[in-house]
Amino acid sequence: MKETAILILDDEQNILNSLKRLFINEPFDLFLTTNHEEALRMLEKEKNIKVVMSDHRMPAITGVEFLKGVKNRNPQIIRILFTGYADIKAAEDAINQGEVYRFINKPWSDGDLKATLREAVKRFDLVEENRKLLELTQKQNEELRVANERLEIMYDKQKQFTSTVSHELRTPLAGIKGAIDVVVSGQPGKVNEEQMNFLGIAKRNVDRLNRLVSEILDLTKLESGTAGLNRGRANINYLIDDAVKIQKSVTEKRGLYLKAELDSQMQPVDMDADKINQVIINLINNAVKFTEKGGIAVSSKYEPNHNSVTVSIRDTGIGIRKEDVSQLFQKFVQLDHAVDKQISGTGLGLAICKEIVTQHGGKICVESEFGKGSTFSFVLPMEERRGTHDQHSDSAAAQSKEKAG
């Protein structure tokens, strides 16, 4: 049995015999009958029939009626009607009721008829291929939907677990830190130099663990949306100026400069001043960590054409390798080539920065060439990018401006 079969119904046996001779070398099986009921039985039995061709004028049934029945039983099969009569009404009915692929008049051209059947088979295969592809796509989409639902459930549980564990760690950490401070103070007794060194190591690690717990809680709240944004109109230049003043003593001790390059045309931005201040401080600290000589410049730029502001933190540090750039804003990622190995991070600072900027409707990015420094930039829209703006009271806006100033 061949992969493809064609069924032909005609009440004249001599026509069927001539068609059998015509298609003897074609790459398909041929089923011929003068009885429409037998034709329907063949359709039920033979699963490889792709094309049905029927005469129109027959004693027991018209070709239009037969093809309409074929369409109802096997809508995927390609249907062709041929007749020896110039019957326009039959052609209209064949198109409207039987949804035929082609309408062929008798007598036909052998070459045209062969070409028509070959095209019909190709059409069947194409439609069937598309149908299977659609089914596969729908199945894969459903599998993807189920997988995403499972991931969301797992992610929610992970965040809940992380938050719970972090909260539970805070109390014993505070106790450990307090106990170390008491011993270091000498109240329980004198501590020798070697013991003091070990206590210093313990204290630094407790402090680092405490920072990690705090940042995990901050990121969990941001990602879950429970932290919220306390928006208000404020000038971002004030935040940059304050951050530079706060961090200047740290950079000067390391022999680095820290300066602000502020756009005098800057306009107020709708933002959570405290959280954007956290972003600026984090990015400055990150720049200090990877800078040995030179310094850091923090600049602002008002972009009226894009209704946005851009803040950039440019350093003269060692830069970032190309293979590391894609990992920068991921959680718990720490680059291993910091200038000062004593300055250890949690690997969450940049992830927190990205989440805060994203929640403001902005974007954060980095440009760097290894050995020549880096520039971290973030862009904030002037207004909150949502369909309807949050309604803030005058007092809340005033408090935000006071914090920023």
Side-chain angles (χ1 to χ4, degrees):
M1 180 180 289
K2 296 176 182 177
E3 183 181 348
T4 299
I6 293 177
L7 171 63
I8 301 177
L9 172 65
D10 195 298
D11 62 327
E12 297 184 38
Q13 186 62 49
N14 62 325
I15 290 179
L16 295 179
N17 292 338
S18 65
L19 289 173
K20 184 176 182 180
R21 290 191 297 269
L22 177 64
F23 298 129
I24 193 169
N25 293 322
E26 292 297 311
F28 50 73
D29 289 325
L30 200 61
F31 295 99
L32 307 171
T33 180
T34 59
N35 185 289
H36 74 279
E37 292 180 349
E38 183 182 6
L40 293 176
R41 287 193 293 270
M42 289 178 177
L43 280 173
E44 290 293 330
K45 181 181 177 182
E46 307 296 337
K47 301 303 181 183
N48 61 334
I49 294 176
K50 298 181 178 180
V51 180
V52 171
M53 188 163 63
S54 173
D55 187 21
H56 177 58
R57 296 292 182 92
M58 294 180 291
I61 191 173
T62 67
V64 172
E65 292 171 337
F66 174 71
L67 293 179
K68 183 178 179 182
V70 172
K71 183 191 77 169
N72 293 335
R73 289 167 178 252
N74 307 88
Q76 75 278 12
I77 289 179
I78 305 299
R79 297 168 294 279
I80 298 174
L81 181 73
F82 64 95
T83 179
Y85 300 88
D87 192 340
I88 300 301
K89 182 65 168 62
E92 292 177 351
D93 291 343
I95 294 171
N96 295 329
Q97 298 179 32
E99 296 181 7
V100 299
Y101 171 65
R102 290 287 297 272
F103 182 81
I104 300 175
N105 284 321
K106 297 178 183 178
W108 55 78
S109 162
D110 290 351
D112 289 346
L113 185 56
K114 283 185 177 182
T116 298
L117 288 180
R118 290 168 186 161
E119 290 173 4
V121 171
K122 288 181 180 178
R123 179 178 176 83
F124 178 94
D125 290 340
L126 179 61
V127 171
E128 187 67 11
E129 183 180 352
N130 288 340
R131 182 188 65 80
K132 290 180 179 178
L133 183 61
L134 178 60
E135 288 180 354
L136 178 62
T137 302
Q138 291 173 338
K139 180 182 178 182
Q140 291 175 337
N141 285 342
E142 177 62 18
E143 291 174 350
L144 184 61
R145 184 190 65 79
V146 173
N148 283 337
E149 286 182 354
R150 289 176 181 171
L151 282 174
E152 287 179 6
I153 292 171
M154 292 173 62
Y155 186 51
D156 288 341
K157 288 182 178 179
Q158 177 259 324
K159 286 193 294 185
Q160 184 179 1
F161 173 78
T162 302
S163 179
T164 301
V165 170
S166 299
H167 276 293
E168 292 297 323
L169 283 173
R170 274 188 160 177
T171 300
L173 279 175
I176 294 170
K177 185 178 184 300
I180 292 174
D181 289 340
V182 170
V183 175
V184 169
S185 70
Q187 293 180 21
K190 188 175 181 180
V191 180
N192 62 41
E193 184 177 351
E194 184 177 5
Q195 291 171 332
M196 188 67 75
N197 287 335
F198 283 116
L199 286 171
I201 293 171
K203 185 176 185 302
R204 286 194 298 274
N205 280 281
V206 169
D207 289 342
R208 181 176 182 275
L209 187 55
N210 197 45
R211 289 197 305 273
L212 176 61
V213 169
S214 296
E215 291 192 355
I216 288 175
L217 286 172
D218 286 347
L219 187 57
T220 301
K221 289 177 182 177
L222 285 167
E223 291 179 333
S224 64
T226 57
L229 296 179
N230 183 26
R231 288 180 176 272
R233 308 249 344 137
N235 193 319
I236 204 164
N237 282 354
Y238 299 152
L239 303 183
I240 295 172
D241 192 52
D242 282 350
V244 167
K245 289 177 181 176
I246 293 170
Q247 298 294 312
K248 203 153 193 175
S249 60
V250 176
T251 56
E252 286 178 349
K253 286 180 182 178
R254 293 171 56 84
L256 304 173
Y257 67 78
L258 176 61
K259 61 182 179 179
E261 300 170 348
L262 306 178
D263 189 339
S264 61
Q265 304 301 313
M266 182 59 64
Q267 300 297 309
V269 181
D270 183 32
M271 62 181 173
D272 185 322
D274 287 339
K275 285 189 168 57
I276 295 302
N277 182 66
Q278 182 181 355
V279 172
I280 296 170
I281 293 291
N282 276 352
L283 292 177
I284 292 175
N285 287 337
N286 190 68
V288 171
K289 180 179 178 182
F290 293 94
T291 303
E292 186 175 20
K293 58 183 179 179
I296 298 99
V298 187
S299 63
S300 66
K301 186 177 181 182
Y302 172 45
E303 314 245 16
N305 293 337
H306 298 94
N307 197 30
S308 63
V309 300
T310 300
V311 177
S312 298
I313 293 82
R314 183 178 69 255
D315 65 59
T316 59
I318 59 177
I320 304 165
R321 297 188 181 98
K322 287 183 179 180
E323 60 268 27
D324 292 332
V325 170
S326 61
Q327 307 176 51
L328 278 178
F329 298 100
Q330 298 178 16
K331 302 174 191 175
F332 301 108
V333 170
Q334 298 183 63
L335 303 185
D336 59 0
H337 45 277
V339 170
D340 190 344
K341 299 298 183 181
Q342 299 300 314
I343 304 177
S344 59
T346 62
L348 289 174
L350 291 179
I352 290 173
C353 289
K354 181 180 179 181
E355 189 65 30
I356 291 173
V357 171
T358 300
Q359 287 197 9
H360 279 78
K363 293 182 179 180
I364 188 168
C365 63
V366 61
E367 293 181 2
S368 182
E369 184 176 350
F370 191 65
K372 296 186 178 181
S374 305
T375 300
F376 283 81
S377 301
F378 65 91
V379 181
L380 297 178
M382 301 297 293
E383 302 289 343
E384 185 178 2
R385 287 178 178 167
R386 290 197 294 189
T388 56
H389 294 292
D390 288 342
Q391 299 298 318
H392 303 288
S393 65
D394 292 339
S395 60
Q399 290 175 5
S400 180
K401 288 183 179 179
E402 184 178 346
K403 291 176 183 177

